[in-house]
Amino acid sequence: MSSNNTQSRQVENSLGSSIAVFVPMMVLFLGAIYSLSFLTLDNVWPMAICLVLFALSFWIPQTLLGRSDSAGEN
């Protein structure tokens, strides 16, 4: 015999705030990939820009917005 203990779904944040975080971070990530199109052996600045934008697209949500520590909050 099993008991039917269904819990309601707990939403951490709204769809609007998720989209408001996702869109700028995706723009940073795609900007990092786009900067590689200007990379040549004579000009290394596009690679530096790529590394900075790529790091920011992961660091901002995980550190500043606190999204990395939300998995174990149930």
Side-chain angles (χ1 to χ4, degrees):
M1 298 207 203
S2 66
S3 61
N4 192 2
N5 293 334
T6 58
Q7 295 178 350
S8 63
R9 185 172 157 246
Q10 295 177 355
V11 178
E12 184 175 331
N13 51 1
S14 66
L15 178 64
S17 66
S18 293
I19 291 173
V21 170
F22 176 78
V23 170
M25 296 309 112
M26 186 55 74
V27 168
L28 285 175
F29 180 72
L30 293 175
I33 294 173
Y34 180 70
S35 71
L36 292 177
S37 65
F38 300 104
L39 183 64
T40 62
L41 292 176
D42 295 332
N43 187 9
V44 296
W45 284 108
M47 180 55 97
I49 293 169
C50 174
L51 290 173
V52 168
L53 290 177
F54 181 76
L56 284 176
S57 70
F58 284 95
W59 181 73
I60 290 172
Q62 289 183 352
T63 305
L64 295 181
L65 300 178
R67 300 288 190 228
S68 65
D69 60 352
S70 61
E73 291 182 356
N74 290 345

